[in-house]
Amino acid sequence: MIHIAFVLITALFIFRAPSAVRRPAARPAWLASGFGLLGLVCLGIVAPLEGLDALLGGSNLWNLAGAISTTASFWFFGRAVQILDRDVAPTRMWPLLALAGVQIGIFLAIPERGSTSSHFIEKHVYSPAVWLYQLVYILSIAAIAASSAYTVRRRLRSIFALFILGYAGVALACLSYAFDITVRHFKIFHQSPLSPFNAGFNALFYPGILLIAVGFTVVYLRYSVKQTLIAWRIRAALLAVVAARLQGGRRTWRVFPAEFSKPDPLGQTYDWLIEIHELISIDGFAPTSLETSVVHRIQHALEHNTTMEPLPAVRERMSI
């Protein structure tokens, strides 16, 4: 399952790169996929941990790199979900920087980190510094995941259901893991590395990551389809039908095929939006609720297009 998530996140990182360059709103998801890749690499699924840790300087620094990368990934994925939900990009970065600083500080305070080991935490869980370091990391992930799920809690019937289920699974997994390492650190009762709480983490965390990755993959594919040439042809033709109807034309659907075949559909879409705006605001024609909905959706798509150089802002010029 983790390998499927790795493939999806890699694809998101590669294919969203052009969009991230052009559109600031696309950057959080792209950064999240990049940090997610680093986090997965630090688990040793691409190259042996020994070689990776040697590149970082040894002493299990791979674990710190993985913790910071994973925290940043969930942070930016959370910001990306907010943009999808509210169309607003949060700009505050200081909480993420503070979390990274705390993790680095506690990790460097660990007195004996030993040689490279994939079981670094399990071997040193009785050290107060290791327990606190891992607790801060895992509870940070839980808080970010729970906050992200809460943000879109009312949209369970849409694609956001994947995000809600994914983030909820991650948050529960992290709480289970936090309880597990606390029990073992304080030796409350004997727990093996495969305790029920540790098993609960594995059963929830990686499926949660996969659901989040699938959610963003679906969003990307939907957006890509909407930006195809044929999609803009359909939009321009629909606006031509609306404009013809507003002007009292009969059999307005006859304009659809003629408009559909024109060479510059995105430019035609922009021109039709301007004309419809003038018909409504200047000439006093009244659109139906369906026509209003169609125009608003197409206007939103035009404002967020990535298929050509940015067009002039139309939100202030066109309102129905």
Side-chain angles (χ1 to χ4, degrees):
M1 185 171 294
I2 190 174
H3 293 88
I4 298 175
F6 179 80
V7 170
L8 288 178
I9 293 174
T10 301
L12 284 172
F13 180 73
I14 293 172
F15 291 110
R16 288 189 67 92
S19 179
V21 171
R22 290 190 295 263
R23 296 175 56 238
R27 289 169 193 167
W30 182 72
L31 288 171
S33 61
F35 281 113
L37 281 180
L38 290 176
L40 292 174
V41 166
C42 289
L43 292 177
I45 67 172
V46 176
L49 280 181
E50 290 75 12
L52 176 64
D53 200 37
L55 288 175
L56 295 173
S59 301
N60 288 296
L61 282 169
W62 67 268
N63 191 278
L64 176 62
I68 293 176
S69 297
T70 304
T71 303
S73 179
F74 276 102
W75 175 270
F76 284 112
F77 268 135
R79 302 296 80 88
V81 168
Q82 288 188 25
I83 293 172
L84 288 174
D85 181 46
R86 306 173 187 173
D87 203 25
V88 175
T91 57
R92 292 186 303 171
M93 285 293 298
W94 66 264
L96 176 60
L97 297 176
L99 284 174
V102 170
Q103 290 177 17
I104 292 172
I106 299 175
F107 184 86
L108 295 179
I110 298 173
E112 295 291 337
R113 296 197 294 269
S115 58
T116 304
S117 172
S118 60
H119 299 290
F120 166 66
I121 298 299
E122 287 79 2
K123 288 182 177 179
H124 298 81
V125 71
Y126 302 110
S127 164
V130 170
W131 169 74
L132 183 60
Y133 157 71
Q134 195 67 0
L135 196 66
V136 169
Y137 158 63
I138 208 69
L139 290 182
S140 298
I141 299 297
I144 294 170
S147 174
S148 300
Y150 183 80
T151 297
V152 293
R153 66 193 182 283
R154 294 188 178 92
R155 303 184 66 172
L156 190 58
R157 294 184 179 180
S158 65
I159 187 63
F160 288 92
L162 290 175
F163 297 128
I164 294 172
L165 293 174
Y167 281 121
V170 167
L172 290 174
C174 290
L175 292 178
S176 175
Y177 184 79
F179 187 83
D180 179 63
I181 62 171
T182 299
V183 164
R184 282 192 281 155
H185 172 72
F186 289 103
K187 303 178 182 178
I188 297 175
F189 51 86
H190 177 71
Q191 290 281 11
S192 70
L194 296 177
S195 70
F197 301 106
N198 191 290
F201 172 82
N202 292 325
L204 292 171
F205 188 79
Y206 296 112
I209 290 178
L210 182 59
L211 285 174
I212 295 169
V214 169
F216 276 103
T217 301
V218 172
V219 169
Y220 171 73
L221 291 176
R222 282 184 176 180
Y223 186 81
S224 298
V225 170
K226 289 180 180 179
Q227 295 298 336
T228 59
L229 187 62
I230 190 171
W232 286 111
R233 290 187 185 278
I234 294 172
R235 291 186 180 108
L238 285 174
L239 291 177
V241 171
V242 172
R245 210 286 307 170
L246 287 175
Q247 297 177 81
R250 295 182 179 181
R251 300 180 179 179
T252 53
W253 284 101
R254 288 186 174 183
V255 306
F256 191 98
E259 188 66 30
F260 188 85
S261 61
K262 290 185 178 180
D264 181 20
L266 201 147
Q268 287 295 112
T269 301
Y270 181 75
D271 292 340
W272 279 121
L273 282 171
I274 297 296
E275 181 168 337
I276 291 171
H277 168 68
E278 292 176 350
L279 287 171
I280 296 169
S281 61
I282 299 176
D283 299 330
F285 292 104
T288 65
S289 58
L290 177 60
E291 289 169 342
T292 300
S293 176
V294 168
V295 172
H296 279 166
R297 285 177 177 273
I298 295 175
Q299 178 180 322
H300 183 270
L302 184 64
E303 291 171 347
H304 294 79
N305 86 87
T306 61
T307 57
M308 60 178 289
E309 292 299 316
L311 292 170
V314 294
R315 181 171 293 166
E316 295 181 0
R317 296 179 61 182
M318 293 177 294
S319 58
I320 297 179

